[in-house]
Amino acid sequence: MQTVTGVAPPGVRGLRTAYSAGTLRPRDMVEALLERIAERGDDGVWITVASAEQLHVRAAELESMPAARRDALPLWGVPVAVKDNIDVAGLPTTAACPAFTYTPARDAGAGRRLRDAGAILVGKTNLDQFATGLNGGRSPYGACESVFGGDLISGGSSSGSAVAVAAGLVPVALGTDTAGSGRVPAAMNGIVGLKPTRGLVGASGVVPACRSLDCVSVFTRDLDDAATVLDVLAGPDLDDPWSRRSTPPPPTTAVLAFPEALDFEGDEAMAAAFARVAARAASHARETIRVGAGPLREAGDLLYEGPWVAERLAVLEDFLDAHPDEVLPVTRTVIERGADFSAVDAFRARYRLQELRVWAAALFARADVLLLPTVPTTFTRAELVAQPVARNLVLGRYTQFTNLLDLAAVAVPAGTTADGRPVGVTLVGPAFAEARLLAAAARLVRP
């Protein structure tokens, strides 16, 4: 992975330490960042990067602050990348669809919180168009490759944000997560992907995928940085009617649940790698229990195989009608399936979802944390082109249920398979259990 060569360690804490010691200034960081972006060339990570002038103006603004003010800002001078379905004032929002482009006058709620905490918003990153996909290849702006190379997909839809962090361009990036878009790219690039509880981080200024399920997610290289960023982002958003106040459960991590009968699509190397991680985690837990994975998969199937796909159409139907040739065929196919479901279908699915939520509540009454593979297998970009829909569904097998069941999750890197592919696992817990999950990740998964 690339780092900030000769300047400072790339994480939030490393930057803050260097700034406090006077060995680094935000203006130096801006220059180094622009050089690294230029060196990587056309890597498919960025859709728009703020101009050098804009970034230096922000750096000068930060450097002009009194020392006491700087010390009070947890992200002072920290460069952050933002997925291009999240508004950043003065930079175009495209959602990876050029015909959809508009330039907002104000930041999204999450962006405002970052800026108020001292962050430098660097630019807008690539994504699967309209955040519809988990592979990172559904964009007219290119398809990012995983930092592991070998033509491996970057994962999506938050592809550019994940690669920007994994490649050492920025220490923090914002993504979104409806079906796993903040976790699948983390797994494919060996970084941390934190998916907060729905509504914990405001979603105002975010182009909706499924408005009732969308979350703003966080990519970092380590768990402590993820916790720091979440502390900045969490809180009421008066412009988001789905915003909620946190009611965290106790932070215990003693009882660990494992699913039975996992399906790795015949990927024996990935199955073996997960088994090693699970055994290590079990050795650190006070107690372990086994649960069936069937209800999780059933809930997840409601997202793309059930009437929740109609929620995507509810947002984009007028745009699709007005711009019939401006949306990628695979994206259009997925979204337009929403017209196949009736109101009766929606209510029946909602009734079943409530039953599945009761099942999940019973699970987390017995267990503190559920450990899952983030993805069952990996694919190359060529393999995704050959089967774009079926293989995309495989990627979401163990992520798609989370928001429907109103759960929190954190995806963490867990080494590699015997043949060198990235392995990621996800820790899942009840709503507002982010602190519990971060602690569990550090205790149970980190070697």
Side-chain angles (χ1 to χ4, degrees), residues 69-410:
R69 175 66 175 151
R70 299 180 190 180
D71 293 342
L73 298 179
L75 298 179
W76 189 86
V78 174
V80 178
V82 179
K83 184 177 180 178
D84 198 18
N85 62 340
I86 303 172
D87 288 347
V88 171
L91 297 182
T93 297
T94 73
C97 181
F100 184 79
T101 302
Y102 64 91
T103 301
R106 61 188 302 218
D107 293 328
R112 288 196 301 274
R113 284 179 173 264
L114 292 176
R115 202 185 292 272
D116 289 347
I120 300 174
L121 305 187
V122 175
K124 310 295 291 298
T125 53
N126 203 358
L127 67 153
D128 284 320
Q129 192 174 70
F130 293 117
T132 300
L134 290 172
N135 58 81
R138 299 175 178 176
S139 172
Y141 297 96
C144 300
E145 182 185 37
S146 164
V147 295
F148 283 80
D151 196 46
L152 284 176
I153 60 167
S154 61
S157 62
S158 309
S159 53
S161 288
V163 175
V165 170
L169 300 176
V170 293
V172 177
L174 292 188
T176 59
D177 191 313
T178 303
S181 296
R183 291 162 283 160
V184 171
M188 292 301 306
N189 290 281
I191 59 174
V192 172
L194 175 61
K195 187 218 74 70
T197 305
R198 292 182 303 109
L200 178 61
V201 177
S204 64
V206 176
V207 178
C210 292
R211 192 183 296 273
S212 67
L213 301 178
D214 295 339
C215 298
V216 174
S217 65
V218 178
F219 295 106
T220 60
R221 286 189 202 84
D222 65 57
L223 295 165
D224 289 338
D225 282 358
T228 297
V229 176
L230 183 62
D231 284 344
V232 169
L233 293 175
D237 183 344
L238 298 180
D239 296 319
D240 176 12
W242 299 93
S243 178
R244 298 191 287 173
R245 292 185 179 275
S246 174
T247 54
T252 179
T253 63
V255 182
L256 179 65
F258 296 96
E260 297 173 334
L262 290 169
D263 182 357
F264 289 89
E265 288 291 300
D267 189 336
E268 294 182 2
M270 189 68 75
F274 179 75
R276 289 194 299 271
V277 178
R280 184 169 70 238
S283 71
H284 294 298
R286 187 192 70 198
E287 181 182 350
T288 62
I289 63 172
R290 292 282 179 177
V291 299
L296 301 175
R297 292 189 61 175
E298 183 183 352
D301 287 345
L302 292 172
L303 193 58
Y304 284 110
E305 300 298 317
W308 269 269
V309 73
E311 192 169 8
R312 294 178 184 267
L313 184 61
V315 171
L316 292 169
E317 185 174 26
D318 290 344
F319 181 81
L320 292 176
D321 289 343
H323 302 273
D325 299 321
E326 301 292 343
V327 178
L328 296 176
V330 65
T331 307
R332 174 182 287 279
T333 297
V334 171
I335 295 173
E336 288 184 339
R337 282 201 63 233
D340 296 340
F341 297 94
S342 69
V344 173
D345 294 328
F347 277 108
R348 286 173 176 162
R350 183 64 183 83
Y351 299 155
R352 180 55 182 154
L353 177 61
Q354 185 60 28
E355 294 170 349
L356 293 168
R357 285 184 174 182
V358 170
W359 177 89
L363 165 62
F364 288 109
R366 300 167 55 211
D368 301 310
V369 176
L370 171 67
L371 183 70
L372 290 165
T374 304
V375 294
T377 188
T378 62
F379 296 111
T380 64
R381 291 181 291 185
E383 287 171 333
L384 254 299
V385 170
Q387 295 186 34
V389 176
R391 285 174 171 157
N392 192 88
L393 289 172
V394 169
L395 292 169
R397 179 171 294 158
Y398 299 118
T399 60
Q400 291 179 168
F401 65 87
T402 314
N403 286 335
L404 284 160
L405 295 180
D406 198 20
L407 305 174
V410 60

Side-chain angles (χ1 to χ4, degrees), residues 20-44:
S20 296
T23 59
L24 181 69
R25 299 173 298 179
R27 72 185 75 174
D28 303 322
M29 176 52 64
V30 166
E31 282 300 317
L33 171 63
L34 291 172
E35 288 176 8
R36 291 196 305 276
I37 292 173
E39 286 170 0
R40 285 182 60 89
D42 186 14
D43 57 4

